[in-house]
Amino acid sequence: MISEAELEGQFVVSKGHIPAVPGSKRVQINALSIDIFPRLRLTKVFDSDDQLIGCLLGTPIDLDGNRILDGRYELKCAAGAGPALDACIEREIYRLAGSFVFVLDLPQARRLYLDANGTLSVVYEAANQVAAATTLLVLASEKEYDERLDHAFYAALRVDRDGWFPAGLTAHDGVKRLICNHYLDFDSWKCTRHWPTEPLTPEFDPVRSIGTILEHTSRVIGVLSKAAQARLGLTAGLDTRLVLACARKFLSDVSFITVDAPGAELDVLRARELSRRFGLKHQILPYVEANDAQVQTWQRKASHCVTGMNMKMHPSMTPLEDMIFVGGLGGEVGRGFLWLNSGDQTKLDASGLIARLKLPQHPRLLPAVEAWLEPLQGLDSLLILDLAYVELRMSSWGFAESYAHLRHVEINPLISRSTYSAMMSLHPSLRRNNSMLVGALKVEWPELLEFPINCYGNWRDGYHRARAAIINPVRALRKLRQLGSAKLVNLYSKAERILN
């Protein structure tokens, strides 16, 4: 039996043809009904003629108003149709930061939009004409949830280890996932790309782009620091280092946390060093491993689409109840995470993208990635690889667990249309080898670079790399495959057959 507490923070969108789930509150917009569960914020959206046209769910942040939206938001444009409507949404909705879903409910356009990286995920079933936070709410019952779980596909994509379901796929037959930069049409039940619709304008002034990223991120942290108790994640990585730099003006209002999880020894060490050096308020959270019941609940909240360390360690975050956790996700876009040795004209196909994502070449996965790739013809290869990372990995893997958080709100201030556009428009030479993010640190707080990033900076680095390869040889070989030559591909294939 599913408890009402398991559904906290979730929602269902329909045309009112299904009964409201017990424990939810139904809000009627126009033709659409939104069933919301406790601990989910709903903000009604009006056009410039004061007509109700939709709602925002989650934690949208209006930087112009220096506030988290709550209750009402007015677009500075009339809700017309066609290109004018698209331009209005891009300008007025995607200027918002935070973590949110936008439901548009007009006679000519009933749609659902995700934020710039889909940090609140959405799944849907066209046959039943229902969209929701998780698959459990899309389907009619827990029994149907169990019966339609595709165990063979789940196993083939290695979801029980480090795999996931990209390109709109999910673990359940007939259920699809909406990926960011696409909207779901509630009349046709089709998904349409709305950004980018053309090549991005190159930015040749890195100072301006880096300034945009730093200013935007800092302003988000400033809003969060005043709104509630904000806890910033602190690790040995580059992205949390950049978030720390952007929080410099607000150190009296925020504090930092690091989970002492297995394998996180370097994160704990570096976080303590940074805290001592710069006087940060910092707390080490003890590692608490989930029991079987907690794992099962977490998997349902993630629609059985991911597993991983977060599933095992999520009870460690219990001390953050009613707080805002500020993470560093999104910075990977600034360093071209999937680029490897690619250039603007590198030939890309579905099989190659799947290999870069380190997923199996499954016969159901290939056509899904091909369909995702087809509308992007004409864009340069590096932009396509950026979008593949944002949409096929982050939106599909990183945020499939959006609703598994334990009563805390998670905001990643590096994620927004503004920062992503600034990152993606920079010249490639400024993004390779972490150049852009390191450059941003040099501008905002150069002393943070006194401490090595993602390494000890001594003999321990070689020891830990060797130890990791021994513990997980298949993963190590996959990395070689991703980085290396045809010989390494052959080596990988032989080793994987032996080890699996």
Side-chain angles (χ1 to χ4, degrees), residues 61-288:
I61 298 172
D62 178 10
L63 293 181
D64 290 344
N66 198 36
R67 65 190 178 111
I68 296 175
L69 295 178
D70 189 9
R72 179 186 176 93
Y73 178 58
E74 182 176 324
L75 305 186
K76 298 182 178 68
C77 53
L85 176 61
D86 296 336
C88 173
I89 290 172
E90 182 62 31
R91 183 173 65 253
E92 297 295 318
I93 296 299
Y94 286 97
R95 73 177 185 83
L96 300 173
S99 180
F100 61 86
V101 165
F102 173 51
V103 179
L104 176 68
D105 190 1
L106 291 170
Q108 71 274 21
R110 298 184 180 93
R111 303 171 181 169
L112 188 149
Y113 294 80
L114 304 174
D115 64 36
N117 210 155
T119 63
L120 287 184
S121 66
V122 171
V123 293
Y124 64 96
E125 184 184 36
N128 196 30
Q129 298 194 348
V130 175
T134 61
T135 299
L136 189 61
L137 289 172
V138 166
L139 302 180
S141 65
E142 187 178 358
K143 179 175 181 290
E144 186 178 2
Y145 181 96
D146 293 336
E147 290 174 346
R148 289 171 61 178
L149 179 60
D150 191 334
H151 294 278
F153 197 25
Y154 181 95
L157 294 187
R158 306 189 190 97
V159 179
D160 60 332
R161 286 180 276 173
D162 53 4
W164 70 95
F165 295 89
L169 300 169
T170 74
H172 289 79
D173 292 329
V175 179
K176 300 293 185 182
R177 178 177 301 283
L178 179 63
I179 56 178
C180 63
N181 301 324
H182 298 71
Y183 66 76
L184 174 64
D185 188 301
F186 285 118
D187 293 317
S188 68
W189 287 90
K190 294 181 179 179
C191 297
T192 301
R193 175 176 291 279
H194 63 86
W195 188 89
T197 56
E198 57 187 19
L200 299 184
T201 303
E203 174 58 77
F204 297 103
D205 182 0
V207 173
R208 181 161 52 191
S209 289
I210 289 174
T212 296
I213 295 163
L214 291 171
E215 179 187 10
H216 182 97
T217 305
S218 181
R219 291 174 69 191
V220 172
I221 295 171
V223 172
L224 297 177
S225 70
K226 303 298 182 184
Q229 290 183 300
R231 298 290 185 268
L232 281 63
L234 189 58
T235 68
L238 179 56
D239 304 318
T240 60
R241 196 80 57 95
L242 181 57
V243 171
L244 166 59
C246 293
R248 188 175 189 179
K249 293 182 287 188
F250 312 105
L251 294 182
S252 61
D253 298 316
V254 301
S255 60
F256 298 81
I257 62 104
T258 308
V259 178
D260 190 10
E265 295 84 4
L266 174 58
D267 289 329
V268 171
L269 172 67
R270 188 63 15 92
R272 282 176 169 156
E273 291 174 341
L274 288 166
S275 299
R276 286 195 296 266
R277 171 72 170 79
F278 300 107
L280 310 179
K281 292 179 286 186
H282 179 243
Q283 179 183 7
I284 302 292
L285 298 183
Y287 174 70
V288 181

Side-chain angles (χ1 to χ4, degrees), residues 353-369:
L353 288 172
I354 291 170
R356 287 171 185 265
L357 294 168
K358 293 184 280 187
L359 289 170
Q361 300 286 331
H362 193 277
R364 286 177 59 184
L365 189 52
L366 282 163
V369 176

Side-chain angles (χ1 to χ4, degrees), residues 448-463:
L448 292 179
L449 291 169
E450 294 174 5
F451 296 87
I453 293 169
N454 274 331
C455 66
Y456 289 95
N458 54 36
W459 62 268
R460 286 179 290 184
D461 293 318
Y463 166 78

Side-chain angles (χ1 to χ4, degrees), residues 320-376:
L320 300 188
E321 182 171 344
D322 295 327
M323 298 182 186
I324 296 176
F325 173 70
V326 183
L329 295 178
E332 305 91 342
V333 177
R335 54 179 181 267
F337 193 85
L338 287 183
W339 286 9
L340 301 176
N341 298 316
S342 301
D344 288 347
Q345 303 304 315
T346 298
K347 185 177 180 181
L348 300 174
D349 58 20
S351 178
L353 288 172
I354 291 170
R356 287 171 185 265
L357 294 168
K358 293 184 280 187
L359 289 170
Q361 300 286 331
H362 193 277
R364 286 177 59 184
L365 189 52
L366 282 163
V369 176
E370 285 172 352
W372 173 86
L373 184 59
E374 197 279 330
L376 299 175

Side-chain angles (χ1 to χ4, degrees), residues 50-66:
D50 204 33
Q51 299 297 307
L52 178 65
I53 63 167
C55 67
L56 286 156
L57 305 173
T59 313
I61 298 172
D62 178 10
L63 293 181
D64 290 344
N66 198 36

